[in-house]
């Protein structure tokens, strides 16, 4: 049985796969691998979040929590002209993020991190996450709840989550923490929530 993607050091044998994918009108070249979320194509949820994202009017970096091989953080940094920090618990995923950023001519910073552990007191203009559902509800809700402390005033978190994987409870949690929460996209059972720190 292979490792799932929420693993610090995946032991499944490497079998990288590279493909080209258009995001926000631009072609990107990505490589993913076994032991990393979504191999062979940009997953539908991440694509929906990328296409739904609006750059906040406040200054600051973008933080991609649970970045995987990096499609969200890389494409949004590129499209917005903002610097981005990509974090993940998976060492193989971070290495792929660095390779993919370099291949696409985008500069990003990466850090090995469980939720926000490696972020310290830094605050961001935007946080994006396709949360690691397999890690369990507690981890997912920690990422959503603690986002507030890592956003500047006027900053926003964008979350993609399927209805069957807990979208209603995720939205309820966001509404308990943030004063402004809205559904900015809904398609094929996937929801994109935006919560703004006011």
């Amino acid at each position: 049985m292979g490792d799932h993607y929420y693993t610090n050091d995946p032991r499944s044998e490497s079998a990288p796969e590279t493909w080209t994918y258009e995001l926000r009108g631009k072609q990107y070249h990505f490589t993913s691998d076994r032991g990393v979320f979504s191999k062979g194509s940009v997953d539908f949820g991440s694509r929906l979040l990328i296409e739904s994202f609006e750059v906040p009017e406040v200054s600051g970096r973008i933080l991609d929590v649970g970045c995987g091989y990096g499609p969200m953080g890389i494409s949004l940094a590129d499209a917005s002209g903002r610097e981005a920090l990509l974090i993940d618990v998976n060492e193989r995923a971070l290495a792929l993020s660095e390779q993919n950023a370099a291949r696409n001519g985008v500069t990003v910073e990466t850090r090995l991190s469980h939720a926000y552990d490696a972020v310290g007191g830094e605050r961001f203009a935007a946080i994006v996450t396709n949360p690691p559902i397999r890690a369990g509800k507690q981890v997912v809700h920690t990422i959503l709840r603690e986002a507030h402390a890592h956003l500047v005033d006027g900053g926003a978190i964008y979350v993609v989550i399927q209805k069957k994987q807990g979208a209603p409870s995720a939205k309820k949690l966001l509404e308990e923490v943030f004063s402004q929460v809205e559904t900015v996209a809904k398609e094929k059972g996937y929801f994109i929530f935006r919560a703004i720190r006011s």
Side-chain angles (χ1 to χ4, degrees):
M1 182 176 172
D3 300 303
H4 64 71
Y5 56 83
Y6 196 75
T7 301
N8 179 246
D9 182 18
R11 303 194 185 284
S12 48
E13 184 179 351
S14 177
E17 190 172 331
T18 301
W19 68 94
T20 302
Y21 202 91
E22 183 175 313
L23 295 167
R24 298 179 76 108
K26 181 174 177 178
Q27 295 286 331
Y28 291 90
H29 305 287
F30 293 117
T31 299
S32 190
D33 203 345
R34 291 176 179 162
V36 177
F37 176 67
S38 188
K39 187 180 173 215
S41 180
V42 177
D43 66 285
F44 182 83
S46 293
R47 183 184 68 76
L48 188 60
L49 188 153
I50 291 164
E51 301 296 340
S52 305
F53 181 82
E54 295 179 15
V55 186
E57 295 181 358
V58 293
S59 61
R61 297 203 290 173
I62 295 170
L63 174 65
D64 183 351
V65 181
C67 62
Y69 63 90
M72 294 199 309
I74 291 167
S75 62
L76 294 177
D78 192 28
S80 67
R82 302 284 182 104
E83 294 180 355
L85 170 60
L86 280 58
I87 61 175
D88 203 294
V89 73
N90 184 323
E91 293 176 351
R92 184 178 289 178
L94 285 178
L96 287 164
S97 285
E98 292 167 3
Q99 293 168 23
N100 287 327
R103 179 181 291 116
N104 290 288
V106 182
T107 300
V108 300
E109 180 187 355
T110 63
R111 291 182 203 166
L112 189 68
S113 185
H114 178 276
Y116 301 95
D117 287 354
V119 177
E122 292 178 66
R123 296 206 289 167
F124 299 84
I127 295 173
V128 295
T129 187
N130 186 342
I133 300 300
R134 287 195 199 178
K137 189 174 182 178
Q138 184 175 351
V139 172
V140 173
H141 282 201
T142 294
I143 290 171
L144 303 187
R145 186 182 303 107
E146 294 183 4
H148 189 275
H150 293 286
L151 287 167
V152 299
D153 290 343
I157 178 173
Y158 281 76
V159 183
V160 56
I161 191 164
Q162 291 186 66
K163 183 174 183 179
K164 66 182 181 183
Q165 292 178 333
S169 63
K171 187 173 190 218
K172 183 181 178 190
L173 173 64
L174 288 169
E175 289 170 341
E176 291 170 359
V177 179
F178 292 87
S179 56
Q180 297 181 61
V181 180
E182 60 185 317
T183 303
V184 294
K186 182 172 64 172
E187 194 173 337
K188 295 183 180 177
Y190 287 82
F191 290 76
I192 306 296
F193 299 132
R194 175 175 60 196
I196 300 171
R197 174 172 169 147
S198 54

